[in-house]
Amino acid sequence: MTEQITTVPNTCMNGCEERNDEDELEPVYTSDRFTLCDNCIRRLDKYIDNIRKNYPRLVAHLMPGSVEKDPESKQTKKPVAPLPVRVEVIDLADERHYLIGGSLPIENVRGAVGVIQRWAMTVRTQRRFTTRPKRYTIASELAVLERSWEWVLQQPWTPALMKDMRKLNSELSNAVGLYRFRPTAWCPTVLQPGDAGNESTEPVLCEGPLLTLSRDPLAIVCLKCRRKYDRDDADRLWREKLAREGTM
Ligand SMILES: [Zn+2]
Ligand SMILES: [Zn+2]
């Protein structure tokens, strides 16, 4: 990607508009050569502040019941027992890129650190920074963005950066905040009577929480029955199960 500052428009690339004196909508201009308007930059700053604040709090919210229930949620009885862990918290805290020394293809990085690392790597590549941290962390990756902040705000990709930060901010605040637990993956294995996790005399669906293995990006494991899956297999089996039940 080549840098073409001269072609960057000086209206907010998020398409912000405001009313003029004639009560007509017109595009909002940016300060300097920035690609986002002042209002968007303030929001982006806020997302990043929140991410920095909430990330270290993740570990305290691993267990179900560690956050208040979403007040809007219906108090219906759950058909299955609650999971022993919050899968979405584990996903956010995944530091796989760190474990393998940052050599994973950038599309495969995981977790909150991975989302920010992707943008920090864009800055490193485009500005030809050659130093790399020993360990990629929220702090190391945000520092790369912040040291180049003026430059970052002049790039044509700021709307995509902002979209990622908004999404990560909301995922992190849901994880440590006021919303109820929403599992993202369940084990589709049918446990036979006598199998670990099945106390009954009938075959039952495991429905344990599925975790991604740190050392093997393609493998996931069920916390309840310990069965290992290929990521695509687990997804396919679960879709087949939902289709059988007519819930999809
Ligand atoms: Zn804007
Ligand atoms: Zn299982």
Side-chain angles (χ1 to χ4, degrees):
M1 208 189 292
T2 52
E3 200 181 318
Q4 288 184 317
I5 290 198
T6 47
T7 65
V8 168
N10 59 349
T11 55
C12 180
M13 284 187 73
N14 273 339
C16 292
E17 291 181 317
E18 60 189 356
R19 294 204 175 268
N20 62 17
D21 293 343
E22 274 80 51
D23 204 29
E24 295 157 342
L25 279 176
E26 54 179 40
V28 176
Y29 287 87
T30 69
S31 308
D32 304 320
R33 288 164 140 177
F34 295 161
T35 48
L36 296 178
C37 68
D38 293 350
N39 192 27
C40 284
I41 293 172
R42 264 196 301 279
R43 277 157 59 212
L44 179 57
D45 279 339
K46 186 77 194 148
Y47 299 148
I48 292 178
D49 265 11
N50 287 346
I51 290 166
R52 196 196 313 273
K53 204 167 63 214
N54 284 332
Y55 186 75
R57 297 164 62 198
L58 270 186
V59 65
H61 293 86
L62 202 53
M63 295 323 204
S66 52
V67 292
E68 297 293 317
K69 275 209 164 57
D70 180 351
E72 316 251 294
S73 75
K74 293 196 190 80
Q75 297 293 318
T76 47
K77 211 162 189 271
K78 283 195 181 145
V80 291
L83 294 179
V85 294
R86 299 174 64 211
V87 181
E88 80 279 24
V89 173
I90 288 170
D91 278 349
L92 281 168
D94 193 332
E95 291 190 356
R96 180 151 336 135
H97 58 284
Y98 156 60
L99 288 167
I100 59 153
S103 59
L104 204 63
I106 202 73
E107 314 78 65
N108 294 346
V109 296
R110 295 274 184 276
V113 182
V115 172
I116 299 170
Q117 187 193 16
R118 192 177 304 213
W119 288 106
M121 288 310 283
T122 301
V123 174
R124 287 180 179 114
T125 306
Q126 293 187 8
R127 307 206 79 188
R128 299 189 170 82
F129 293 163
T130 50
T131 53
R132 298 287 183 271
K134 271 212 180 75
R135 179 181 169 188
Y136 293 92
T137 62
I138 294 278
S140 77
E141 302 313 276
L142 284 181
V144 170
L145 294 181
E146 279 161 357
R147 274 200 301 273
S148 295
W149 199 233
E150 294 270 316
W151 180 87
V152 165
L153 291 178
Q154 295 174 5
Q155 302 313 305
W157 39 255
T158 47
L161 166 72
M162 187 159 169
K163 204 170 150 200
D164 271 9
M165 294 302 145
R166 180 171 53 217
K167 180 163 177 277
L168 179 57
N169 170 46
S170 102
E171 286 170 350
L172 280 173
S173 31
N174 285 352
V176 303
L178 291 167
Y179 300 99
R180 79 201 131 125
F181 161 53
R182 276 187 214 93
T184 54
W186 304 83
C187 175
T189 291
V190 174
L191 301 174
Q192 298 303 323
D195 284 354
N198 183 5
E199 257 96 68
S200 76
T201 52
E202 306 276 342
V204 295
L205 193 63
C206 175
E207 296 187 306
L210 296 180
L211 300 188
T212 309
L213 288 179
S214 300
R215 287 171 304 278
D216 183 353
L218 292 176
I220 49 181
V221 67
C222 170
L223 268 196
K224 191 170 156 193
C225 72
R226 311 308 296 186
R227 173 183 279 242
K228 258 172 93 173
Y229 292 93
D230 178 279
R231 186 174 272 276
D232 292 339
D233 269 346
D235 191 44
R236 180 179 52 77
L237 288 167
W238 190 251
R239 281 167 188 284
E240 282 172 6
K241 177 220 176 262
L242 292 179
R244 272 200 308 278
E245 292 172 354
T247 49
M248 222 179 114

